[in-house]
Amino acid sequence: MTYFRKRFSIISAIFEALIKPPETVDYPKGALMLPEGFRGALLFDTDQCIGCGLCVRNCPADALHMEKKSRDEYKLIHYPARCAYCGQCEDNCRHGAIYHSNQLVKPTDNPAGLIVVLKEKKEA
Amino acid sequence: MSKISIPIGPQHPLLKEPLSMKIDISGEKVLGGSLRLGYVHRGIERLAQKRNYVQTIHLVERVCGICSHIHTTTFCQAVESLLKLEVPPRAQYLRALMCELERIHSHLLWLGILAKHVGLDTIFMHTWHDRELALDVMEEITGGRVLHGANQIGGVRFDLDESHFPMIHANLEKLRSQILGLLDILENEPALIARTKGVAPVSQKTIRQYGVVGPVARASGVDVDMRRDNPLPPYDQLKFSVVTMPDGDAWARTIVRAEEIRESLNLCEMILEDLPDGEVSKRAPRNVPEGEVIIRSEAPRGELFYYLRSDGTDQPARLKIRTPTLAALCLLPVQMSDIQVADIPVVLAGVDLCVACADR
Amino acid sequence: MFEALFYLLIFPGGFFLVLVGLGFEWLDRKLLALFQRRVGPPWYQPLADLIKLFSKEDLLPKGGNELVATLLPLLSLCAVLVAGLYVPIAGFTPYSFEGDLIVILFLMSVPTLAYYLAGIISIGIYSILGGGRSLLQYFSYEVPFLIALSGPAVLARSWSIEGILTAQFTLGSFVLFQPLGFILALVGLIGKLKRDPLDIPSAKSEVVGGSLTEFSGGKLGFWHLAMNIQAVVGIFLIINLFLGWTKLANPFVAILVFFLEFLVIVGMLSSASAIFARLRIDQLAGLGWRILVPLSLAQILFVILMGV
């Protein structure tokens, strides 16, 4: 009996699959479940940023760039197409200004979307 | 019949990564083959010399698309041993947990690809569904499905809390029952056995000549496993057995990998049970003192070798990576004789191709 | 005149067969997806694929013969369409004559030969391999397939399908007398259609696309259509030869029963491709000549003894 059960295990596997719901998602109509800690699109909190540049220093993909003239005059730029979503900038930031959300980044056909100015501070 | 030579690759439905083989055939018989590598050489070793240690972690994670975690773990261990930094035990256990999950997902992926190559698409789909369970656990705890970004110098970047355990245990339990069913199928499916048993067996002597490691070597009866032979913590405190088979053919490799998944599942549960409390990371300085170090660890495909030399700055002076797949790929031309055209996919799948690893 | 055109173009020929062919492809793919725990394609996917193929650029590699490459898919499509005209559908057949079974079997072999030619005239190395393999496979499955299909004819003492159907109405369904022949016919059909698990001539991981590697655009669309219609005609043939039940007075019930039998056979074909791994060509030849041929001979011997 065990012999037969083992011999026909693939047949029982495919007929069990008939009654089970499919495991794939009907993309893009189906719902995509992402866990809470998923490293998705990069978010930025302008008020928290003090322009220290720590996020730029360790960015492995050169996706962050800072043009800094002085403490009060700097420009922080993000290049989403280069970003590796590694989370290093989030780890480095001491003020919680830059962090990942758990949302996927939608593809874009807008060339202007390839350069995102996160913060531009000018001398008052 | 006259001799003709067929090209396999660099683009071929059989290959997921570029690799070129020229195979001489006569009718359905394979006479011999030659191998060409280097299509995905990205110069990672040189690139590492231009980046600081934190950036290099994310760089070496991209050496391989499947076993990304073991690369960062080995690199971090190398840097930590230069820094003489004691990693908290909880971080060591969490690293090992990720390594074992990665082994499970890598081996399941391989089983699926073998089944796909012999035309058994059902097993391919079912194993990849099961693999999704392991990937879900990794995604849940680290935030990345394949590129986990789990390691940093001095520890790990994630921590498990009580809310994670039910999900992990449920998935591991489900995976265990699925693996039992899969083993039933693999051991008893006559067509699969007919296609894989006795196909291009490799002797223990050849394995030693070519320096092949990992499941391919273990399937030929070479008892080698870095987790046991050269244990880095926490593997010196964990109990597991090394699976070997004497045959050396594609069938033996299948069984070795399937049994290793079971061992890894046991290890995962052992790690979760023994998980020590405490911090998960220690702060590491940016500059690494002068010195050089060699670290060897067991990737899903075999022994992984890292050589790191530091000159006291925040950038590595030299990083050398030797991946297990390169030796296994060199085995391919040896196996390409006395087989049939229909066996080429089985032989190619048997060595567990990872061209990105081999080329770096 | 109009009647003949209707039979030829609408039902049971032309349009109807194309429709059922596309429906068969969808059903097969959907069932396979369900067996493999996937979502599967929507119902219009085969039609969409066909439209896409016809709207694509048609490329032929240098050295290929445009005329032959165009003729071969059209020839196989015509052959299976004509074969479909003679296979009774739910007991309805416009043209029936003594010996139409042999004509259908001949016409069903045309796509295989065209497939072989398509491979061998091509300059691509994979096409030549696939063409050679298709002929090797043909010699392995065709003999047991033909012997299995001649079983019902011998039992009914008639070479017309209608005659075989009529004999089943009195004697009972032939699957009860020759279940072995039914299984062998299904195996032969799988081999004829080059379906998984006997997709040796077109195995993707071994010979890329087989004979059809160098085909593209509309020609490839015709090939796919021909294969689907060949599958439908083959299934209709097996239903008629083995699964004829009592004569049903109500045509709707007859159509329903026919449709259900069609579904059952499609389910068997799909589950076969989900269960079995692809065989090697030497293993297939061994299976064909060592196992299937003796079995089919035993079956036909049993049928002859039963007739006496």
Side-chain angles (χ1 to χ4, degrees):
Chain A
M1 192 60 214
T2 353
Y3 171 77
F4 274 101
R5 192 185 58 79
K6 282 189 168 174
R7 200 86 165 81
F8 293 105
S9 48
I10 185 165
I11 299 174
S12 62
I14 66 162
F15 283 106
E16 270 169 34
L18 269 187
I19 47 171
K20 284 180 190 163
E23 294 235 359
T24 49
V25 180
D26 189 4
Y27 188 80
K29 287 181 215 154
L32 203 59
M33 298 286 281
L34 289 170
E36 209 166 288
F38 182 79
R39 289 194 306 273
L42 208 60
L43 297 181
F44 190 73
D45 191 342
T46 321
D47 299 336
Q48 296 292 325
C49 181
I50 59 159
C52 62
L54 274 176
C55 51
V56 180
R57 190 170 66 167
N58 276 344
C59 180
D62 294 338
L64 288 165
H65 185 69
M66 182 170 251
E67 289 164 10
K68 193 167 183 177
K69 286 200 184 112
S70 69
R71 251 189 100 103
D72 292 319
E73 192 175 350
Y74 60 88
K75 192 176 173 187
L76 184 62
I77 306 167
H78 179 225
Y79 303 100
R82 290 187 194 168
C83 185
Y85 300 94
C86 63
Q88 195 61 49
C89 47
E90 187 180 351
D91 279 12
N92 278 16
C93 188
R94 301 201 180 142
H95 301 273
I98 191 162
Y99 54 95
H100 285 283
S101 71
N102 69 340
Q103 293 301 308
L104 281 183
V105 187
K106 290 256 159 42
T108 173
D109 58 353
N110 177 15
L114 295 178
I115 301 171
V116 180
V117 178
L118 293 180
K119 183 166 182 180
E120 191 168 9
K121 192 170 177 190
K122 288 202 178 109
E123 228 163 337
Chain B
M1 252 181 150
S2 61
K3 187 173 106 173
I4 47 176
S5 86
I6 55 169
I8 304 274
Q11 303 300 330
H12 192 275
L14 188 60
L15 302 162
K16 309 295 170 267
E17 289 171 285
L19 162 91
S20 176
M21 282 205 86
K22 271 237 173 320
I23 296 174
D24 295 329
I25 59 168
S26 162
E28 283 282 324
K29 237 178 135 162
V30 174
L31 303 172
S34 63
L35 178 74
R36 243 190 100 181
L37 278 173
Y39 290 92
V40 278
H41 176 69
R42 290 154 291 164
I44 282 185
E45 289 169 8
R46 174 79 182 118
L47 213 53
Q49 296 172 22
K50 307 214 132 201
R51 268 141 218 274
N52 66 34
Y53 284 98
V54 179
Q55 289 172 325
T56 310
I57 298 175
H58 297 291
L59 183 68
V60 295
E61 186 162 34
R62 281 151 180 84
V63 168
C64 179
I66 298 160
C67 42
S68 55
H69 179 77
I70 188 75
H71 281 271
T72 58
T73 306
T74 317
F75 178 74
C76 286
Q77 280 166 344
V79 178
E80 282 150 10
S81 74
L82 278 180
L83 284 170
K84 309 230 165 13
L85 195 71
E86 193 70 27
V87 181
R90 188 176 173 89
Q92 289 171 349
Y93 270 77
L94 288 176
R95 276 179 183 173
L97 173 71
M98 289 293 292
C99 285
E100 294 310 318
L101 283 171
E102 195 171 76
R103 199 178 315 278
I104 293 168
H105 111 76
S106 171
H107 282 355
L108 278 173
L109 177 134
W110 180 85
L111 285 174
I113 287 179
L114 179 85
K116 172 93 184 151
H117 283 180
V118 299
L120 201 58
D121 280 15
T122 315
I123 300 296
F124 164 64
M125 294 291 174
H126 286 207
T127 50
W128 280 42
H129 290 156
D130 301 344
R131 171 176 169 260
E132 212 60 31
L133 293 169
L135 285 175
D136 280 348
V137 174
M138 291 197 275
E139 191 182 25
E140 179 84 28
I141 62 181
T142 67
R145 226 173 81 92
V146 175
L147 295 163
H148 318 295
N151 279 317
Q152 63 186 26
I153 296 164
V156 288
R157 288 166 67 188
F158 64 96
D159 197 4
L160 293 184
D161 54 33
E162 285 306 312
S163 63
H164 287 128
F165 284 107
M167 187 260 186
I168 299 176
H169 281 298
N171 271 19
L172 289 182
E173 208 44 56
K174 215 165 152 190
L175 205 50
R176 185 179 295 273
S177 73
Q178 298 281 20
I179 298 301
L180 286 180
L182 189 69
L183 270 173
D184 270 359
I185 292 173
L186 289 176
E187 281 168 2
N188 297 292
E189 175 56 31
L192 184 72
I193 296 173
R195 282 303 298 277
T196 53
K197 210 160 198 165
V199 171
V202 183
S203 68
Q204 198 170 345
K205 196 178 151 219
T206 320
I207 291 281
R208 287 197 189 279
Q209 268 175 356
Y210 280 78
V212 182
V213 286
V216 180
R218 289 197 280 274
S220 290
V222 182
D223 194 1
V224 53
D225 191 322
M226 276 304 123
R227 291 176 293 173
R228 183 201 59 196
D229 303 341
N230 180 22
L232 289 164
Y235 283 112
D236 45 1
Q237 287 147 37
L238 298 172
K239 264 205 194 109
F240 59 95
S241 59
V242 178
V243 188
T244 55
M245 290 271 285
D247 307 345
D249 54 0
W251 166 249
R253 291 173 189 175
T254 315
I255 295 301
V256 163
R257 286 196 173 91
E259 294 286 349
E260 272 181 24
I261 296 172
R262 261 162 76 169
E263 284 298 320
S264 287
L265 277 170
N266 288 341
L267 270 173
C268 278
E269 273 164 17
M270 218 184 286
I271 289 167
L272 284 175
E273 210 160 282
D274 298 352
L275 195 64
D277 289 327
E279 51 178 0
V280 293
S281 178
K282 266 193 184 162
R283 206 175 145 65
R286 278 183 77 77
N287 287 4
V288 175
E290 247 174 272
E292 54 183 2
V293 66
I294 286 171
I295 296 279
R296 297 191 295 165
S297 62
E298 182 77 13
R301 291 175 172 77
E303 177 196 327
L304 181 68
F305 170 100
Y306 264 67
Y307 165 78
L308 178 70
R309 195 175 77 230
S310 166
D311 53 1
T313 58
D314 65 343
Q315 291 177 347
R318 175 79 174 103
L319 176 69
K320 165 73 191 154
I321 308 166
R322 185 213 187 257
T323 50
T325 23
L326 188 60
L329 283 178
C330 295
L331 207 58
L332 278 178
V334 183
Q335 289 181 279
M336 288 289 172
S337 63
D338 281 335
I339 56 168
Q340 293 197 14
V341 174
D343 293 331
I344 294 174
V346 181
V347 170
L348 271 176
V351 299
D352 202 350
L353 290 173
C354 181
V355 184
C357 268
D359 285 351
R360 298 185 298 285
Chain C
M1 174 66 196
F2 281 113
E3 215 176 50
L5 270 181
F6 179 80
Y7 289 149
L8 197 63
L9 296 176
I10 311 291
F11 183 88
F15 183 70
F16 172 76
L17 280 178
V18 171
L19 214 63
V20 181
L22 294 178
F24 162 77
E25 189 189 342
W26 174 75
L27 201 62
D28 178 38
R29 282 169 67 175
K30 187 82 182 171
L31 267 175
L32 200 57
L34 291 179
F35 284 139
Q36 297 174 350
R37 303 190 63 185
R38 289 184 284 126
V39 175
W43 65 268
Y44 51 82
Q45 189 67 50
L47 185 64
D49 284 352
L50 203 63
I51 292 171
K52 190 198 83 172
L53 274 180
F54 276 105
S55 63
K56 281 215 154 185
E57 191 186 2
D58 195 346
L59 283 171
L60 198 72
K62 223 180 219 176
N65 190 327
E66 181 75 46
L67 181 73
V68 181
T70 319
L71 269 181
L72 286 173
L74 284 178
L75 183 73
S76 37
L77 184 63
C78 291
V80 290
L81 280 174
V82 173
L85 199 59
Y86 291 105
V87 181
I89 291 154
F92 169 76
T93 169
Y95 306 108
S96 176
F97 57 91
E98 189 62 32
D100 55 4
L101 178 61
I102 293 168
V103 172
I104 289 171
L105 288 177
F106 167 72
L107 287 171
M108 291 270 285
S109 295
V110 170
T112 311
L113 296 175
Y115 190 91
Y116 165 69
L117 278 178
I120 220 78
I121 60 151
S122 170
I123 50 166
I125 194 92
Y126 297 119
S127 308
I128 294 172
L129 270 177
R133 281 178 163 208
S134 79
L135 211 59
L136 272 171
Q137 175 162 333
Y138 180 78
F139 288 127
S140 307
Y141 73 79
E142 191 72 0
V143 173
F145 182 61
L146 287 184
I147 297 177
L149 287 193
S150 56
V154 172
L155 195 56
R157 289 170 195 281
S158 159
W159 282 97
S160 96
I161 301 176
E162 197 156 36
I164 294 170
L165 267 179
T166 326
Q168 291 186 67
F169 296 150
T170 50
L171 276 171
S173 182
F174 281 174
V175 73
L176 303 175
F177 304 115
Q178 29 191 328
L180 203 58
F182 178 65
I183 304 279
L184 289 174
L186 276 182
V187 174
L189 187 66
I190 293 174
K192 206 172 202 32
L193 302 174
K194 299 183 251 309
R195 280 173 55 90
D196 203 6
L198 300 183
D199 58 345
I200 299 164
S202 58
K204 201 179 77 172
S205 59
E206 293 161 23
V207 288
V208 185
S211 287
L212 309 185
T213 311
E214 311 288 349
F215 281 85
S216 59
K219 290 181 203 126
L220 191 61
F222 277 130
W223 273 117
H224 285 331
L225 200 58
M227 303 261 179
N228 286 337
I229 294 174
Q230 193 189 15
V232 169
V233 174
I235 293 172
F236 282 176
L237 190 66
I238 288 182
I239 292 174
N240 279 314
L241 293 190
F242 290 99
L243 295 174
W245 307 100
T246 50
K247 186 147 184 85
L248 294 161
N250 190 338
F252 292 107
V253 180
I255 289 168
L256 189 72
V257 169
F258 192 80
F259 183 65
L260 285 179
E261 286 167 347
F262 180 74
L263 287 188
V264 167
I265 292 191
V266 172
M268 286 168 98
L269 292 182
S270 293
S271 49
S273 55
I275 288 169
F276 296 110
R278 186 189 310 122
L279 292 175
R280 260 197 320 249
I281 191 82
D282 60 327
Q283 287 166 346
L284 173 69
L287 175 80
W289 287 99
R290 292 204 193 107
I291 299 170
L292 298 187
V293 170
L295 282 181
S296 59
L297 285 176
Q299 178 68 65
I300 200 92
L301 198 69
F302 171 75
V303 168
I304 290 170
L305 289 179
M306 209 179 114
V308 173

